[in-house]
């Protein structure tokens, strides 16, 4: 059996391509503008130290001395940031996932008011939260403590994670969970075996945004730490930058290394992010 698919004449396709050409050129221009800071960061990291205003457009005499110094001096800070970001993701998901499921199933004014409070917390500046946490953390001996930074970033990340995961879980048919419970599954088993696997896209998306937020945190780290023993990579870069710095290849090499985990996560999780973000937006 043959399919009668209408073919577009070659001349019509050529005209269509010509009409799309300005939009394609405009898209390439926007992409180049957005990627130029990344290129300049990598380009500067491969040139020897001679000041921020003497960079060449291309690293013709590329050197990796900046990366060697960055790895040597910023390696512990890199590990500290990794511990903080991963700990924040784990703690946030442990709290936010069941909370989101509960809020998606409860139909009451109290649940709606709670969601409204979560939305309001998203509008509070991080500096206000950091200053409010300082006396509490000081009394709990959590200043200059990795676990203290994990708690601070978790407190800031839970509202967004709950809202994102709740939006997806609200679309799961109740009959699906009820069928599992009729077969003998309890609430916990139905949640772990049915709800969590179905909500994988939303959970991965929430985990990624939580990781990026904790990885790039600066205000909590600046407010809640004061010793070099507990210093994330963002404060390490901040320490490099001063009015008289000439070591820009090391600064830029540190910035490139700090961008690698986030870039890798975005590459590996992009299909989950697209599905999870769209599900939350539609809801």
């Amino acid at each position: 059996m043959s399919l009668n698919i209408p073919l577009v004449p070659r001349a019509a396709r050529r005209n269509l391509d010509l009409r799309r050409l300005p939009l394609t050129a405009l898209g390439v221009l926007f992409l180049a503008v957005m990627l130029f800071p990344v290129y300049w960061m990598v380009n500067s990291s491969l040139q020897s130290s001679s000041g921020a205003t003497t960079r060449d457009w291309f690293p013709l005499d590329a050197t990796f001395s900046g990366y060697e110094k960055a790895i040597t001096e910023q390696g512990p800070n890199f590990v500290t940031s990794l511990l903080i970001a991963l700990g924040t993701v784990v703690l946030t998901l442990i709290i936010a996932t069941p909370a989101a499921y509960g809020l998606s199933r409860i139909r009451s004014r109290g649940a709606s008011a709670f969601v409204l409070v979560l939305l309001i917390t998203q509008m509070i500046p991080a500096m206000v939260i950091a200053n409010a946490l300082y006396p509490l953390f000081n009394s709990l001996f959590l200043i200059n403590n990795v676990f203290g930074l994990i708690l601070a970033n978790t407190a800031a990340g839970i509202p967004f994670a709950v809202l994102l995961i709740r939006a997806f879980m609200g679309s799961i048919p109740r009959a699906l969970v009820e069928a599992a419970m009729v077969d003998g599954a309890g609430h916990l088993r139905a949640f772990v075996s049915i709800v969590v696997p179905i909500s994988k896209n939303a959970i991965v998306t929430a985990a990624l945004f939580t990781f990026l937020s904790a990885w790039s945190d600066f205000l909590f780290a600046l407010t809640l730490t004061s010793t070099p023993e507990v210093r994330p990579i963002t404060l390490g870069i901040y320490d490099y930058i001063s009015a008289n710095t000439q070591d820009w290849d090391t600064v830029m090499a540190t910035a490139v290394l700090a961008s690698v985990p986030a870039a890798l996560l975005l590459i590996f999780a992009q299909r989950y992010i697209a599905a999870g973000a769209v599900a939350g937006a539609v809801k």
Side-chain angles (χ1 to χ4, degrees):
M1 185 178 66
S2 61
L3 298 176
N4 296 322
I5 301 175
L7 299 177
V8 180
R10 181 176 299 178
R13 289 202 305 270
R14 188 182 301 113
N15 292 334
L16 185 61
D17 292 340
L18 289 176
R19 285 198 298 270
R20 290 176 176 173
L21 189 58
L23 293 177
T24 303
L26 192 61
V28 172
L29 177 62
F30 285 157
L31 183 63
V33 171
M34 287 188 291
L35 291 181
F36 181 77
V38 178
Y39 166 74
W40 197 251
M41 180 176 65
V42 177
N43 176 48
S44 298
S45 70
L46 295 174
Q47 298 186 41
S48 58
S49 299
S50 56
T53 59
T54 57
R55 307 280 100 175
D56 295 327
W57 283 92
F58 303 101
L60 299 179
D61 298 321
T63 175
F64 292 92
S65 59
Y67 285 91
E68 295 175 1
K69 188 175 180 181
I71 292 174
T72 302
E73 297 181 354
Q74 298 291 338
N77 299 337
F78 190 90
V79 174
T80 300
S81 283
L82 204 57
L83 290 175
I84 294 171
L86 293 177
T88 301
V89 170
V90 172
L91 193 56
T92 298
L93 292 185
I94 289 176
I95 298 173
T97 305
Y101 178 64
L103 287 173
S104 69
R105 295 301 167 190
I106 297 174
R107 307 296 183 191
S108 67
R109 292 182 178 178
S112 301
F114 188 76
V115 172
L116 179 61
V117 171
L118 291 178
L119 286 172
I120 292 174
T121 59
Q122 296 295 289
M123 304 173 190
I124 300 176
M127 178 56 75
V128 175
I129 299 176
N131 287 332
L133 289 177
Y134 184 85
L136 174 64
F137 278 30
N138 189 42
S139 61
L140 296 175
F141 303 102
L142 290 176
I143 301 296
N144 298 318
N145 190 299
V146 171
F147 185 64
L149 290 177
I150 291 175
L151 285 179
N153 284 283
T154 299
I158 282 178
F160 176 77
V162 169
L163 293 173
L164 181 63
I165 300 174
R166 171 184 171 272
F168 183 85
M169 287 182 173
S171 64
I172 298 176
R174 288 175 175 269
L176 198 61
V177 179
E178 292 171 356
M181 298 181 70
V182 169
D183 290 340
H187 287 284
L188 179 61
R189 184 178 176 186
F191 171 71
V192 174
S193 303
I194 304 296
V195 177
V196 170
I198 293 176
S199 308
K200 179 176 60 178
N201 291 336
I203 293 174
V204 172
T205 304
L208 182 65
F209 279 102
T210 302
F211 181 90
L212 294 178
S213 176
W215 181 261
S216 60
D217 167 58
F218 178 76
L219 291 176
F220 287 143
L222 184 64
T223 306
L224 303 176
T225 64
S226 59
T227 61
E229 287 75 18
V230 180
R231 187 168 293 271
I233 193 70
T234 48
L235 286 188
I237 297 174
Y238 177 72
D239 289 341
Y240 271 158
I241 300 175
S242 63
N244 299 318
T245 186
Q246 296 292 319
D247 203 6
W248 280 98
D249 57 336
T250 306
V251 174
M252 292 301 173
T254 306
V256 172
L257 294 175
S259 304
V260 170
L264 291 178
L265 279 177
L266 286 172
I267 291 173
F268 287 118
Q270 56 179 335
R271 64 190 180 98
Y272 299 106
I273 298 171
V278 171
V282 171
K283 182 66 179 174

